[in-house]
């Protein structure tokens, strides 16, 4: 967070849909077994990374707006 801007918006789904229309890749964090380790994902264009809270994660409607689900694995 020290090297990138952090934003807050009133309507997250609308914002993410606009980002996709503007050419951004939209990634959301998830603990799902289908999510990809973030370290395995190649970022080749401007990207929005959506982080959920520790208790509930990303809301369902926000997760649906994401093009890719990723997980951030902890260190050992």
């Amino acid at each position: 967070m020290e090297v990138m801007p952090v934003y807050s918006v009133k309507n997250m789904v609308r914002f993410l849909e606009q980002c996709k229309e503007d050419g951004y890749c939209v990634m959301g964090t998830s603990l799902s077994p289908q999510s990809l380790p973030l370290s395995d994902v190649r970022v080749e264009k401007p990207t929005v990374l959506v982080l959920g809270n520790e208790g509930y994660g990303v809301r369902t409607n926000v997760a649906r707006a994401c093009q890719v689900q990723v997980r951030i694995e902890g260190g050992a």
Side-chain angles (χ1 to χ4, degrees), residues 14-40:
R14 189 176 308 146
F15 171 75
L16 296 176
E17 294 300 334
Q18 184 63 54
C19 288
K20 290 190 288 189
E21 289 177 22
D22 292 343
Y24 285 78
C25 176
V26 177
M27 295 184 187
T29 54
S30 171
L31 294 178
S32 164
Q34 291 79 25
S35 64
L36 303 170
L38 186 58
S39 59
D40 291 353

Side-chain angles (χ1 to χ4, degrees), residues 57-74:
V58 175
R59 292 179 181 243
T60 303
N61 60 340
V62 173
R64 284 191 201 118
C66 296
Q67 297 163 303
V68 179
Q69 298 290 322
V70 298
R71 65 181 175 274
I72 301 171
E73 297 177 331

Side-chain angles (χ1 to χ4, degrees), residues 33-48:
Q34 291 79 25
S35 64
L36 303 170
L38 186 58
S39 59
D40 291 353
V41 176
R42 289 184 50 106
V43 177
E44 298 178 346
K45 62 181 179 177
T47 301
V48 174

